[in-house]
């Protein structure tokens, strides 16, 4: 019985250490809120989807550490093609993953993460503004948003 109890306690200690390693305390010490602007411009479907998953995990890690994250995702470049209602801007091979990404985007929005779509990218890629997901705010120039948010104290998170 003592061996079982000792084994359980040892496992709990390892689990606690693993959790502690996941959330570094020193960088987060003294923070109650963090602000980040995320530059999302990955055009490869599988990598873009991974970026969306990473945004969620980062947000959740901060929340679990008792910190309020304020995230704004600025979509620009080739990522823009995946933020549309229609599939005419992407490869037929990517349509299934695009549906999953749309679900992820809406889940992130439901968590309070704002999305902005760069109008300059839409223009350069000849993407009709009416095709952009309706919950995403279209801004004239994503670079201007990135610059402005950094000047307002948001940390820049480049994602390619």
């Amino acid at each position: 019985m003592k061996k079982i109890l000792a084994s359980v306690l040892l496992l709990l200690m390892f689990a606690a250490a693993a959790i502690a390693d996941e959330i570094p305390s020193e960088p987060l010490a003294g923070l109650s809120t963090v602000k980040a602007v995320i530059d999302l411009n990955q055009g490869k479907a599988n990598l873009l989807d991974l970026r969306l998953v990473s945004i969620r995990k980062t947000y959740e890690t901060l929340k679990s550490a008792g910190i309020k994250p304020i995230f704004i995702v600025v979509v620009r470049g080739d990522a823009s093609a995946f933020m549309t209602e229609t599939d005419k801007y992407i490869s037929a091979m990517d349509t299934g993953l695009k549906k999953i990404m749309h679900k992820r985007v809406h889940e992130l929005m439901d968590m309070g993460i704002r999305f902005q779509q760069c109008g300059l990218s839409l223009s350069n890629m000849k993407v009709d503004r009416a095709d952009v997901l309706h919950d995403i705010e279209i801004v004239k120039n994503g670079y201007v948003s990135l610059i402005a948010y950094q000047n307002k104290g948001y940390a820049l998170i480049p994602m390619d």
Side-chain angles (χ1 to χ4, degrees):
M1 181 69 148
K2 287 183 181 179
K3 286 184 179 182
I4 293 172
L5 184 58
S7 297
V8 169
L9 286 173
L10 189 60
L11 284 172
L12 287 174
M13 286 174 36
F14 282 124
I19 290 169
D21 285 345
E22 287 182 29
I23 305 171
S25 61
E26 184 183 335
L28 301 178
L31 295 174
S32 59
T33 303
V34 295
K35 301 185 303 185
V37 60
I38 300 164
D39 180 13
L40 188 64
N41 61 21
Q42 177 56 250
K44 294 180 181 168
N46 60 332
L47 295 177
L48 178 57
D49 185 55
L50 182 60
R51 301 306 183 264
L52 293 170
V53 170
S54 296
I55 291 168
R56 181 184 188 121
K57 286 182 179 180
T58 302
Y59 186 93
E60 289 174 341
T61 299
L62 289 165
K63 291 265 305 183
S64 70
I67 295 169
K68 178 184 176 186
I70 301 170
F71 285 6
I72 300 170
V73 178
V74 178
V75 181
R76 61 179 194 82
D78 291 339
S80 304
F82 292 94
M83 300 299 148
T84 59
E85 298 285 352
T86 178
D87 292 335
K88 67 183 177 183
Y89 305 105
I90 63 167
S91 162
M93 294 184 338
D94 294 333
T95 58
L97 189 51
K98 181 180 170 198
K99 288 181 178 132
I100 293 169
M101 284 190 268
H102 283 192
K103 182 179 178 228
R104 292 192 204 286
V105 166
H106 285 104
E107 287 171 352
L108 292 169
M109 288 178 170
D110 289 344
M111 294 166 63
I113 298 173
R114 289 178 49 202
F115 276 74
Q116 294 185 344
Q117 171 59 59
C118 174
L120 183 61
S121 293
L122 296 176
S123 178
N124 288 342
M125 296 176 64
K126 306 211 181 331
V127 172
D128 188 339
R129 289 172 170 254
D131 289 338
V132 174
L133 293 173
H134 300 292
D135 296 338
I136 296 179
E137 175 188 4
I138 299 175
V139 296
K140 186 173 185 175
N141 186 320
Y143 290 123
V144 171
S145 285
L146 292 168
I147 292 166
Y149 284 115
Q150 287 177 79
N151 278 278
K152 290 181 179 182
Y154 284 71
L156 173 65
I157 309 297
M159 295 199 105
D160 289 337

